[in-house]
């Protein structure tokens, strides 16, 4: 086969200024993060039978009224949570910014304290104090993730324009523009801080997944993100399925399937939607957002706190091929009566545990809605929180246009939104997928560690680091392997292998182990070459597969100078299978057959002694995807 030339398209300029900026803000704040566990939520979870198995999971803290900033009803306030995050040794903490004027205009259960015209109060009494606390230098090393105003902007798309689901309150918010102004103000104020990461709520596929909604949603999100001082640079990304129940990935059917000539889109459940799950919706919306004007760096989050749909009702495969409805209804993971049902759903379960980078352009699966916190009261409850009674939380209500006039599927005897609902937590625990054993710990092995890389080499040592794996009971140790031999165990996410031979290639993998003795599969192997004897000139290169899916993958290569500065470099290797590079960045790469050559581009060829740079590429394969042995030549 002929050579394929690939010019560099991306990269970070060398030099102190660019490196300082990169150190201050990362592309994906969840990657490599130690996530904060809210002790208020953890205490509730641990007090439930079997709840200790998941009480260590990170969840978001909802700032749902002005008083919540300083703490209410014995619950900690914003500053107390940030202080506790530091005490835990965490470096990422999640908050939900949730007090817009006329909040959640289509759902009475989550109404708030501020009226439709209270924009000034929202700005000065709510956002400004939050921004002032987050700006405290004491928290400068925390990555503060803010989920901005769930349900607000999606309501402007579907519930404010005279459609069957429209409400007078939503029409008012669309007319006065306070939702857009409020979101814009929050993005601007919080985005101006160097360590905050704003993710704007973008509904879910069962709300905005239709062609008629997706484009207008992207336009509405862009309008808000460029309102009241905000720019698209204040947005790290978007979150889908916040506090909802839609399946992350529908495994038993695809939107392109047909049954006897009838497409899945025509089934009653899918109802002509373009998407059947949250991950595909998130990525489809991301494409629309980038086309609308958001930068290609935006990432997506999926709230997986209550979309596990496990237990005995979980289908093991597609439904029968007797009709498209039988095929979809028999196989769908989401067992709600209707996708428009949103309140305290019967049969729901805990979903995928929080984890960074589970798929390309998905920054993380997160638990933004803390499991066990009610969606709303099942009957009217007097309160001073501004929360009303929504019939969608009443299990006897026969529904409305937004849920196809079906029963709500809500659990009975539910408290106010945000209050602890023990019966719901037990339901989620029982139906969790991946499953959880009551009180005995999670039956799942830990997740595979990711991001294994070399952080330094000498002629006799290799220093490694990796991203912590996330599982239900918590990883207690990592086992490090050189080739097939375990060479050490560490409780941290770094390790230095010593006593090595100069200028020699070594292959490393890491496994995670939990307190119950469950061990993960091995991480992707990393090949590292020690420096020449005495740390002399030359360079080394380390290869890491950063992601893989189906027949595709991405990989990074880190080039490091030896004991002397270099002015250029070239990395070569031979693939062991049929891997083909389709796109590369921060290098000019050529491939002929299995042989690959990658050379520096103009901005990353010069490296100081011991300095390093990274390039990457995307590729395809159909067989194995083993890590090749690299050779680095310096100029």
């Amino acid at each position: 086969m002929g050579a394929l030339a690939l010019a560099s398209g991306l990269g970070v300029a060398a030099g102190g200024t660019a490196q300082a900026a990169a150190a201050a803000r990362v592309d994906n704040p969840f990657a490599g993060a130690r996530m904060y566990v809210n002790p208020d939520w953890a205490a509730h979870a641990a007090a439930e039978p079997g709840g200790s198995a998941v009480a260590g999971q990170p969840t978001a803290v909802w700032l749902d009224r002005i008083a919540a900033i300083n703490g209410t009803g014995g619950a900690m306030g914003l500053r107390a949570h940030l202080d506790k995050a530091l005490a835990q040794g965490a470096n990422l903490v999640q908050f939900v910014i949730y007090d817009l004027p006329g909040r959640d205009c289509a759902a009475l259960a989550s109404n708030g304290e501020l009226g439709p015209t209270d924009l000034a109060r929202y700005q000065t009494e709510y956002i400004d104090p939050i921004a002032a606390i987050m700006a405290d230098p004491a928290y400068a090393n925390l990555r503060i993730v803010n989920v901005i105003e769930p349900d607000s902007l999606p309501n402007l798309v579907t519930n404010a324009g005279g459609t069957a689901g429209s409400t007078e309150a939503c029409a008012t918010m669309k007319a006065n523009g306070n939702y857009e102004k409020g979101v814009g103000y929050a993005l601007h104020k919080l985005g101006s801080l160097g360590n905050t990461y704003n993710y704007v709520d973008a509904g879910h596929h069962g709300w905005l997944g239709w062609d008629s909604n997706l484009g207008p949603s992207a336009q509405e999100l862009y309008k808000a993100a460029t309102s009241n001082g905000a720019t698209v640079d204040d947005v790290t990304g978007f979150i889908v399925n916040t506090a909802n129940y839609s399946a992350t990935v529908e495994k038993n059917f695809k939107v392109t399937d047909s049954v006897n000539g009838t497409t899945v889109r025509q089934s009653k459940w899918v109802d002509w939607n373009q998407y059947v799950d949250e991950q595909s919706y998130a990525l489809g919306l991301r494409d629309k957002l980038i086309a609308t004007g958001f930068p290609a760096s935006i990432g997506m989050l999926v709230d997986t706190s209550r979309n596990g749909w496990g237990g005995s009702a979980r289908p093991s495969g597609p439904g029968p091929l007797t009709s498209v409805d039988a095929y979809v209804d028999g196989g769908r993971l989401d067992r709600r009566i209707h996708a428009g049902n949103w309140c305290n759903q019967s049969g729901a379960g805990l979903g995928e545990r929080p984890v960074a980078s589970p798929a390309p352009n998905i920054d993380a699966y997160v638990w933004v809605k803390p499991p066990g916190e009610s969606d709303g009261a099942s009957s009217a409850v007097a309160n001073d929180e501004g929360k009303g009674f929504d019939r969608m939380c009443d299990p006897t209500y026969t529904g409305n246009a937004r849920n196809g006039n079906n029963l709500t599927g809500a659990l009975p005897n539910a408290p106010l939104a945000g209050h602890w609902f023990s019966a719901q937590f037990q339901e989620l625990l029982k139906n969790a997928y991946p499953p959880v054993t009551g009180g005995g710990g999670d039956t799942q092995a830990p997740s595979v560690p990711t991001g294994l890389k070399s952080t330094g080499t000498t002629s006799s040592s290799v220093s490694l680091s990796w991203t912590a794996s996330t599982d239900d009971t918590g990883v207690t140790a990592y086992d490090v392997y050189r080739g097939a031999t375990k060479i050490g165990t560490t409780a941290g996410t770094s390790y230095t292998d010593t006593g090595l031979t100069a200028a020699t290639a070594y292959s490393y993998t890491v496994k995670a182990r939990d307190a119950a003795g469950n061990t993960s599969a091995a991480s992707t192997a990393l090949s590292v070459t020690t420096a020449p004897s005495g740390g002399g000139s030359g360079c080394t290169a380390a290869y890491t597969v950063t992601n893989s899916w189906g027949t595709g993958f991405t990989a990074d290569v880190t080039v490091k100078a030896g004991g002397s500065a270099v002015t250029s470099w070239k990395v070569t290797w031979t693939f062991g299978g049929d891997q083909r590079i389709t796109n590369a960045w921060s290098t000019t790469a050529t491939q002929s057959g299995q042989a690959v050559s990658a050379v520096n581009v103009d901005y990353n060829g010069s490296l100081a002694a011991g300095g390093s740079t990274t390039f990457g590429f995307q590729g395809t394969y159909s067989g194995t995807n083993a890590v090749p042995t690299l050779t680095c030549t310096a100029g």
Side-chain angles (χ1 to χ4, degrees), residues 206 244-246 267-271 309 313 325 328-330 332-348 391-412 427:
N244 206 259
Y245 298 86
S246 298
S267 66
K268 291 179 181 178
W269 174 260
V270 179
D271 191 26
W309 296 105
D325 284 324
V328 170
D329 287 339
R332 59 184 169 91
L333 301 178
D334 185 342
R335 305 312 298 172
R336 284 178 291 179
I337 299 169
H338 188 277
N341 289 352
W342 53 265
C343 193
N344 300 324
Q345 290 299 285
S346 175
R391 290 299 303 278
M392 289 299 291
C393 298
D394 177 357
T396 68
Y397 180 51
T398 54
N400 55 42
R402 289 196 294 277
N403 85 326
N405 297 301
N406 289 285
L407 284 168
T408 65
L411 292 169
E427 186 92 342

Side-chain angles (χ1 to χ4, degrees), residues 211-353:
D211 288 338
S212 57
N213 290 340
L214 200 66
S217 297
Q219 294 166 9
E220 182 61 56
L221 292 165
Y222 182 83
K223 182 179 180 182
T226 53
S227 297
N228 217 0
T231 73
V232 294
D233 293 331
D234 292 318
V235 179
T236 305
F238 296 83
I239 180 169
V240 301
N241 208 44
T242 303
N244 206 259
Y245 298 86
S246 298
T248 303
V249 176
E250 177 52 71
K251 298 181 182 298
N252 293 333
F253 62 88
K254 303 185 295 296
V255 74
T256 54
D257 288 351
S258 294
V259 177
N260 302 323
T262 303
T263 67
V264 157
R265 291 188 67 207
Q266 293 172 263
S267 66
K268 291 179 181 178
W269 174 260
V270 179
D271 191 26
W272 294 102
N273 202 310
Q274 282 293 117
Y275 303 95
V276 297
D277 57 35
E278 288 307 297
Q279 190 152 293
S280 63
Y281 164 68
L283 296 175
L285 177 61
R286 180 179 181 274
D287 289 342
K288 286 283 188 183
L289 291 164
I290 292 171
T292 304
F294 285 95
S297 59
I298 57 172
M300 307 299 287
L301 304 178
V302 182
D303 187 353
T304 60
S305 58
R306 304 184 302 174
N307 67 352
W309 296 105
S312 60
R314 183 179 178 86
S316 58
L321 294 173
T322 52
S323 71
V324 71
D325 284 324
Y327 176 73
V328 170
D329 287 339
R332 59 184 169 91
L333 301 178
D334 185 342
R335 305 312 298 172
R336 284 178 291 179
I337 299 169
H338 188 277
N341 289 352
W342 53 265
C343 193
N344 300 324
Q345 290 299 285
S346 175
L350 301 171
E352 294 283 351
R353 312 324 183 232

Side-chain angles (χ1 to χ4, degrees), residues 25 41 66 82 113 119 168 212 230 267 276 323 351 356 444 532 540 614:
R25 184 174 292 278
W41 177 82
I66 293 168
L82 293 170
E113 64 186 347
L119 180 63
E168 182 178 351
S212 57
S267 66
V276 297
S323 71
Q444 304 297 299
T540 57
T614 298

Side-chain angles (χ1 to χ4, degrees), residues 440-447 469 471-479 481 486 489 511-521:
D442 198 326
T443 62
Q444 304 297 299
S447 300
S469 62
D471 80 307
D472 302 337
T473 57
V475 171
T476 59
Y478 294 89
D479 298 326
Y481 292 78
K486 185 168 80 171
T489 297
K511 295 180 181 180
R513 184 154 40 84
D514 65 16
N518 299 311
T519 302
S520 75

Side-chain angles (χ1 to χ4, degrees), residues 12-82:
V12 179
T17 301
Q19 291 174 352
R25 184 174 292 278
V26 297
D27 177 62
N28 177 3
F30 293 88
R34 299 180 302 280
M35 298 173 67
Y36 171 60
V37 177
N38 176 2
D40 287 344
W41 177 82
H44 279 299
E48 296 285 345
S52 59
V54 296
Q57 290 297 328
T59 56
V61 176
W62 288 61
L63 302 175
D64 63 350
R65 46 188 164 144
I66 293 168
I69 299 171
N70 293 321
T72 59
M76 295 190 299
L78 171 58
R79 188 177 291 279
H81 280 294
L82 293 170

Side-chain angles (χ1 to χ4, degrees), residues 231 371 513 564 581 630:
T231 73
R513 184 154 40 84
S564 302
I581 295 177
L630 307 187

